[in-house]
Amino acid sequence: MSNTGSDKYEGFSAEERAAMKEHAQEQKTAARRGSKADKAALAEQDVLAKIAGMQDADRVMAERVHAVVTAVAPRLAPKLWYGMPAYALDGKIVCFFQSAAKFKARYATLGFNDQAQLDEGSMWATAFALTDVTPEVEEQIAALLKRAAG
């Protein structure tokens, strides 16, 4: 098989490399923080600052997602994960919000990791495209979070 260039592996995109660097910095920052309570408070501040720095549509959706998560699943601790707002249970990421601008996508994403246990049969969704967070979408997110957070 010849290598025509179209099947050539190009490596990580600049956005992916930046996300990995952000994650490394997040780990270093978390390791330097004091008590567990201090870490939690500062982690939430980091998430809110990240959301505040997003572009308009992404910021509005991330604010709504954050509000739903904190209201419906207060056990989930806000923290940054690869430069994205995320929510963890016992230190393990359950769900995250990825802005459209982060990877130059046409929509934002609400994703769930395997900790969420959204299992339903032999196949189930773990990521959802978001173009707007309406009251109906908030209800869907709340239902997913209730299942995900136990």
Side-chain angles (χ1 to χ4, degrees), residues 21 53 56-57 66 74 80 85 96 102 119 131 133 142:
K21 286 179 183 178
D56 292 340
H66 181 77
L80 290 178
F96 60 90
K102 183 152 186 87
D119 310 32
T131 57
V133 179

Short mmCIF file of all heavy atoms in Angstrom, two decimals, residues 21 53 56-57 66 74 80 85 96 102 119 131 133 142:
data_model
loop_
_atom_site.label_atom_id
_atom_site.label_comp_id
_atom_site.label_asym_id
_atom_site.label_seq_id
_atom_site.Cartn_x
_atom_site.Cartn_y
_atom_site.Cartn_z
N LYS A 21 -1.21 20.46 27.48
CA LYS A 21 -0.38 21.36 28.30
C LYS A 21 -1.20 21.95 29.44
O LYS A 21 -0.72 22.06 30.57
CB LYS A 21 0.23 22.46 27.44
CG LYS A 21 1.35 21.98 26.55
CD LYS A 21 1.90 23.09 25.69
CE LYS A 21 2.98 22.56 24.77
NZ LYS A 21 3.51 23.60 23.88
N GLY A 53 -14.19 33.30 30.71
CA GLY A 53 -13.31 33.63 29.59
C GLY A 53 -13.73 33.07 28.25
O GLY A 53 -13.08 33.33 27.24
N ASP A 56 -19.05 34.24 23.81
CA ASP A 56 -20.43 34.46 24.25
C ASP A 56 -21.31 33.22 24.30
O ASP A 56 -21.81 32.88 25.37
CB ASP A 56 -21.10 35.52 23.37
CG ASP A 56 -20.49 36.90 23.58
OD1 ASP A 56 -19.85 37.12 24.64
OD2 ASP A 56 -20.64 37.75 22.70
N ALA A 57 -21.57 32.57 23.18
CA ALA A 57 -22.50 31.43 23.17
C ALA A 57 -21.99 30.30 24.06
O ALA A 57 -22.77 29.70 24.82
CB ALA A 57 -22.72 30.94 21.74
N HIS A 66 -23.17 24.58 34.33
CA HIS A 66 -22.61 24.66 35.69
C HIS A 66 -23.74 24.81 36.72
O HIS A 66 -23.72 24.13 37.76
CB HIS A 66 -21.63 25.82 35.79
CG HIS A 66 -21.00 25.95 37.13
ND1 HIS A 66 -19.97 25.13 37.56
CD2 HIS A 66 -21.25 26.80 38.16
CE1 HIS A 66 -19.62 25.47 38.79
NE2 HIS A 66 -20.39 26.48 39.18
N PRO A 74 -24.89 18.15 43.59
CA PRO A 74 -23.91 18.88 44.40
C PRO A 74 -22.74 18.03 44.87
O PRO A 74 -21.71 18.58 45.28
CB PRO A 74 -24.74 19.41 45.58
CG PRO A 74 -25.94 18.54 45.64
CD PRO A 74 -26.20 18.08 44.23
N LEU A 80 -11.05 21.84 36.67
CA LEU A 80 -10.65 21.91 35.27
C LEU A 80 -10.08 20.57 34.84
O LEU A 80 -9.42 19.88 35.61
CB LEU A 80 -9.62 23.01 35.05
CG LEU A 80 -10.13 24.44 35.19
CD1 LEU A 80 -8.99 25.43 34.99
CD2 LEU A 80 -11.26 24.72 34.22
N PRO A 85 -14.26 22.98 31.85
CA PRO A 85 -14.99 22.77 33.10
C PRO A 85 -15.43 21.31 33.19
O PRO A 85 -15.95 20.74 32.23
CB PRO A 85 -16.22 23.67 32.95
CG PRO A 85 -15.87 24.65 31.89
CD PRO A 85 -14.92 23.94 30.98
N PHE A 96 -18.15 16.66 31.70
CA PHE A 96 -17.38 17.84 31.34
C PHE A 96 -18.11 18.62 30.25
O PHE A 96 -18.94 18.08 29.53
CB PHE A 96 -15.97 17.47 30.85
CG PHE A 96 -15.99 16.57 29.65
CD1 PHE A 96 -15.98 17.09 28.36
CD2 PHE A 96 -16.02 15.19 29.79
CE1 PHE A 96 -16.01 16.26 27.25
CE2 PHE A 96 -16.03 14.35 28.70
CZ PHE A 96 -16.03 14.89 27.42
N LYS A 102 -12.98 25.68 21.63
CA LYS A 102 -11.77 24.98 22.07
C LYS A 102 -11.10 24.19 20.95
O LYS A 102 -9.90 24.24 20.77
CB LYS A 102 -12.05 24.07 23.25
CG LYS A 102 -10.78 23.40 23.77
CD LYS A 102 -10.89 23.09 25.21
CE LYS A 102 -9.61 22.56 25.75
NZ LYS A 102 -8.69 23.59 26.20
N ASP A 119 -24.95 3.50 31.46
CA ASP A 119 -25.17 2.26 30.72
C ASP A 119 -26.66 2.01 30.48
O ASP A 119 -27.47 2.10 31.40
CB ASP A 119 -24.61 1.06 31.49
CG ASP A 119 -23.17 1.27 31.93
OD1 ASP A 119 -22.80 2.42 32.22
OD2 ASP A 119 -22.44 0.28 32.00
N THR A 131 -26.08 23.25 21.12
CA THR A 131 -26.08 24.50 20.37
C THR A 131 -26.81 25.58 21.16
O THR A 131 -26.68 26.76 20.87
CB THR A 131 -26.75 24.35 19.00
OG1 THR A 131 -28.07 23.85 19.17
CG2 THR A 131 -25.94 23.39 18.12
N VAL A 133 -28.78 25.95 25.42
CA VAL A 133 -29.25 25.29 26.64
C VAL A 133 -30.58 25.95 27.03
O VAL A 133 -30.61 26.96 27.71
CB VAL A 133 -28.21 25.36 27.78
CG1 VAL A 133 -28.75 24.68 29.03
CG2 VAL A 133 -26.91 24.69 27.35
N ALA A 142 -30.28 17.51 33.59
CA ALA A 142 -30.57 17.15 34.98
C ALA A 142 -30.84 15.65 35.11
O ALA A 142 -30.35 15.00 36.04
CB ALA A 142 -31.75 17.96 35.50
#
